[in-house]
Amino acid sequence: MDSSSAVVSTTVKNWREHPPSSYSLKVHNFSQLEKSTRVSDDKYQSRPFTSGGYNWRLIVYPTGNKNDDGSGFVSMYVEIDSKSLMVLTPPTEVFAELRFFVYNKKENKYFTIQDLEVKRFNALKTVWGLQQFLPLDTFNDLKNGYIFEGGNCEFGVDVIVASPLTNWEILSFDEKLSKPKFSWAVKNFSDLKEYVYKSDGFSMGGREWILKLYPKSDFGSDGKWLSIYLEVAGNTLKADEKIFRKGHMRVLDPLGSNHIVFETNRWVDGSTTGWGREQFLSLAELRKAYLDKEDTLNVEKVEWFHVQQFLQLWREHPPASYSLKIQSFSQLVNSTAFSDHKFQSRKFSSGGYKWRLIVYPKGNQKDNGSGFISMYVEIDSKSLMVFTPPTEIFAELRFFVYNKKENKYFTIQGNCFSLSPSLCICFNQQYPFTYSDVEVKRFNALKTVWGLVQVLPYDTFNKPENGYVFEGGQCEFGVDVIVAPPLTNWEILSFNEKLSGPKFSWALKNFSELEVNNLTSDIFSMGGRKWVLRLYPKGDSKADGKWLSVYLELAASDTPKEGEKIFVQANLRVLDPLGSNHIQLQMNVWCEVQKPSWGWNKVMSLAELRKTYLDNKEHALNVEMEFKVVSAINHSPIM
């Protein structure tokens, strides 16, 4: 496989148990669906449904979209309601990801094709989809399980509208501190009586700090040790804010260079704003060697670098859920050596729940991630405990790493333990490649973390020429957490072929004397709907007074609602009163609100009608409508 083919292909095929979230179309007779679409450009359009604040339709070509190289396949598309785009000036553009489903009864799963490339819907491009979803022979073969129980099948779609990015953080490492050293001379140390002493405040890395000194040790150190701590002044850290600092504290040797040094490499957050050493130096050794002639103890704090992370509003796509920008990847690697080799982002919201992005810059060694970048998502367990029993959350995860060279995001979703040859080629060629597992992840009290052990090889990521680390060490990670909502939009399409009374007969007496423009039959029921026949004795406006015109209409009390359609297969007959030479016309139509009436403006000439088709007794014209198939749609409530 060459690298170009790997880059072009953005679709991923898979199986999943979780049903579609946006729309489901269940068909009770696939062969009838095939027949019915022959009179509607070979396609079936679903009722409108809402996703992401816009209206859409699922379009299925049961025998393939021949105009789009789909012959011999089932073709599936999504169309946006163009009215949704015209609200603003200039018209709106909508970015959405599409995922198409066909249920397989044999596997009891959904065969799924996902296009990971975000599609741009606008006034000029309102339809996107897959012209070759499944070979028709494969779909129609009953042993394969796509058609079951006498012709049933199910199609579905997820339309995931890409929201603008509103949650992000920038992680920066300040290594060029203007005053990296703070010195504190504690005079008359031997005379100190207080339990604790605080230094003056000092600034470093954009933060205010203090040193705390316990001349006879803090609680628990039996009065024999000097205790020193570094603290953020005033406990000013915000919720979820963390600061990493690296440096050391020293008690200086006044007569030489035998300083007592304690190195500090810590993440500081709201729960642990101070770090230091309880047994920094024994008081016996201190009095012996570390007080100068004036009984002064000299303490020094040297800061190598400091990092702060913060949250602001910013808009950019992708990713849509969370972006983490690092200003020095090498320092991120160093800092995480003191936090289980991982960096945890601030909390962010998605789908009504709280999450964190977790990055292991040198891999999660406990999860077979050595030599790779590892990325995970963790749900806030408090989100799960609102209900009894605790809630389960289904979500899809998509992880991103920005590539400056390509100006694109390396995107990876799902389980990536087995890297395909095409993926390896992409690593070598440094193309931003997308790999996916469309299985929805189940988060619960026992499983709060899901992710990818092997996102990118560390060596690949860390070479500046590859584009993942750029401009002196910058990089960007991101995630989309797509919480799967319950299916609320659906329709079931059935075809009623066993009608209890399939015929409706209408006798129009004294036909030759009729002067009205048109007549309407009594209302009759068929296939769960109410109908009438409308007849024009001298033809309608298109029949130039020489033809009989007849139409089938839905009764005024039973007109279709917006988006509703009814398929009718029927035969219209004008009966021969003396023999069997009936005039018969076949009807295969979809009735909908835009076109609730179907029929023929030229059923037969009035001359032939008067000659042969009026009975001798009552000069009656006998018209008969025999129904073969009437479809019905059961659907979710209109939202």
Side-chain angles (χ1 to χ4, degrees), residues 410-436:
F410 173 81
T411 307
I412 187 165
Q413 176 183 354
N415 195 342
C416 190
F417 283 108
S418 56
L419 301 181
S420 67
S422 61
L423 183 57
C424 295
I425 290 172
C426 285
F427 284 151
N428 294 335
Q429 298 296 325
Q430 302 316 315
Y431 288 104
F433 178 80
T434 302
Y435 179 82
S436 177

Side-chain angles (χ1 to χ4, degrees), residues 179-284:
K179 295 180 180 180
K181 185 184 294 186
F182 172 73
S183 299
W184 183 20
V186 184
K187 296 180 179 180
N188 301 315
F189 181 83
S190 300
D191 297 331
L192 297 179
K193 304 297 183 183
E194 299 294 331
Y195 173 63
V196 61
Y197 290 84
K198 296 180 182 180
S199 73
D200 294 334
F202 59 95
S203 296
M204 201 164 288
R207 283 286 180 180
E208 289 293 321
W209 306 85
I210 60 169
L211 289 177
K212 277 188 176 181
L213 182 144
Y214 296 80
K216 296 181 181 179
S217 68
D218 69 351
F219 179 78
S221 293
D222 63 24
K224 297 179 180 180
W225 297 86
L226 174 72
S227 303
I228 303 177
Y229 298 89
L230 173 70
E231 289 191 1
V232 180
N235 293 330
T236 56
L237 292 182
K238 299 176 182 178
D240 284 336
E241 188 174 19
K242 294 188 296 185
I243 299 171
F244 180 79
R245 53 180 184 51
K246 184 173 183 179
H248 54 242
M249 289 188 287
R250 295 190 292 217
V251 172
L252 301 183
D253 176 3
L255 301 176
S257 59
N258 190 30
H259 311 308
I260 301 297
V261 179
F262 169 56
E263 187 171 310
T264 61
N265 303 286
R266 307 297 299 189
W267 282 99
V268 178
D269 58 25
S271 63
T272 54
T273 56
W275 286 96
R277 177 169 285 183
E278 181 181 338
Q279 297 181 356
F280 196 98
L281 175 65
S282 72
L283 294 179

Side-chain angles (χ1 to χ4, degrees), residues 75-141:
S75 304
M76 297 177 68
Y77 300 82
V78 163
E79 181 180 24
I80 193 170
D81 180 5
S82 58
K83 295 177 183 178
S84 302
L85 301 169
M86 307 305 291
V87 178
L88 303 177
T89 305
T92 308
E93 287 194 319
V94 178
F95 295 86
E97 295 178 16
L98 307 178
R99 191 170 299 119
F100 296 94
F101 302 80
V102 172
Y103 180 67
N104 187 294
K105 180 73 170 180
K106 182 179 178 181
E107 300 290 337
N108 194 24
K109 292 182 180 179
Y110 290 85
F111 175 70
T112 306
I113 298 185
Q114 176 180 351
D115 194 336
L116 293 173
E117 181 179 310
V118 176
K119 301 303 182 186
R120 184 196 300 259
F121 290 83
N122 53 37
L124 299 177
K125 183 67 174 178
T126 59
V127 178
W128 287 96
L130 300 173
Q131 70 270 42
Q132 298 182 359
F133 184 86
L134 255 181
L136 194 55
D137 291 343
T138 300
F139 185 86
N140 271 326
D141 192 334

Side-chain angles (χ1 to χ4, degrees), residues 22 25 28 131 144 202 369 431 528 544 565 624:
S22 295
L25 168 63
H28 280 174
Q131 70 270 42
N144 291 333
F202 59 95
Y431 288 104
D544 61 27
K565 297 187 297 182
E624 183 179 86

Side-chain angles (χ1 to χ4, degrees), residues 128-386:
W128 287 96
L130 300 173
Q131 70 270 42
Q132 298 182 359
F133 184 86
L134 255 181
L136 194 55
D137 291 343
T138 300
F139 185 86
N140 271 326
D141 192 334
L142 296 181
K143 69 175 183 291
N144 291 333
Y146 295 103
I147 297 178
F148 50 91
E149 297 174 4
N152 290 354
C153 59
E154 180 184 356
F155 305 95
V157 69
D158 277 354
V159 180
I160 303 167
V161 177
S163 58
L165 175 65
T166 56
N167 296 298
W168 58 279
E169 63 184 273
I170 298 175
L171 185 64
S172 60
F173 293 84
D174 189 354
E175 299 179 83
K176 297 180 180 179
L177 302 172
S178 58
K179 295 180 180 180
K181 185 184 294 186
F182 172 73
S183 299
W184 183 20
V186 184
K187 296 180 179 180
N188 301 315
F189 181 83
S190 300
D191 297 331
L192 297 179
K193 304 297 183 183
E194 299 294 331
Y195 173 63
V196 61
Y197 290 84
K198 296 180 182 180
S199 73
D200 294 334
F202 59 95
S203 296
M204 201 164 288
R207 283 286 180 180
E208 289 293 321
W209 306 85
I210 60 169
L211 289 177
K212 277 188 176 181
L213 182 144
Y214 296 80
K216 296 181 181 179
S217 68
D218 69 351
F219 179 78
S221 293
D222 63 24
K224 297 179 180 180
W225 297 86
L226 174 72
S227 303
I228 303 177
Y229 298 89
L230 173 70
E231 289 191 1
V232 180
N235 293 330
T236 56
L237 292 182
K238 299 176 182 178
D240 284 336
E241 188 174 19
K242 294 188 296 185
I243 299 171
F244 180 79
R245 53 180 184 51
K246 184 173 183 179
H248 54 242
M249 289 188 287
R250 295 190 292 217
V251 172
L252 301 183
D253 176 3
L255 301 176
S257 59
N258 190 30
H259 311 308
I260 301 297
V261 179
F262 169 56
E263 187 171 310
T264 61
N265 303 286
R266 307 297 299 189
W267 282 99
V268 178
D269 58 25
S271 63
T272 54
T273 56
W275 286 96
R277 177 169 285 183
E278 181 181 338
Q279 297 181 356
F280 196 98
L281 175 65
S282 72
L283 294 179
E285 187 178 0
L286 183 153
R287 294 187 184 102
K288 181 178 179 181
Y290 289 92
L291 296 176
D292 65 16
K293 294 180 180 180
E294 297 179 348
D295 196 30
T296 298
L297 179 71
N298 289 286
V299 180
E300 190 173 77
K301 167 62 181 166
V302 178
E303 191 78 5
W304 298 347
F305 65 83
H306 147 270
V307 56
Q308 180 181 356
Q309 63 179 47
F310 51 91
L311 179 70
Q312 295 184 11
L313 296 179
W314 182 48
R315 294 180 178 269
E316 185 176 335
H317 176 78
S321 293
Y322 204 78
S323 171
L324 168 63
K325 293 190 174 183
I326 310 296
Q327 293 192 344
S328 174
F329 179 71
S330 63
Q331 295 296 0
L332 176 69
V333 172
N334 292 338
S335 70
T336 55
F338 309 98
S339 59
D340 294 330
H341 303 285
K342 67 184 179 183
F343 177 82
Q344 291 180 294
S345 77
R346 294 170 65 95
K347 293 178 185 177
F348 62 92
S349 295
S350 183
Y353 302 92
K354 297 290 185 181
W355 312 82
R356 288 184 190 271
L357 172 63
I358 302 173
V359 178
Y360 290 80
K362 292 200 72 173
N364 184 357
Q365 299 176 10
K366 298 177 182 178
D367 199 13
N368 196 32
S370 296
F372 287 83
I373 305 289
S374 302
M375 297 176 68
Y376 300 81
V377 163
E378 181 180 24
I379 192 170
D380 180 8
S381 58
K382 294 179 182 178
S383 301
L384 301 169
M385 305 306 291
V386 177

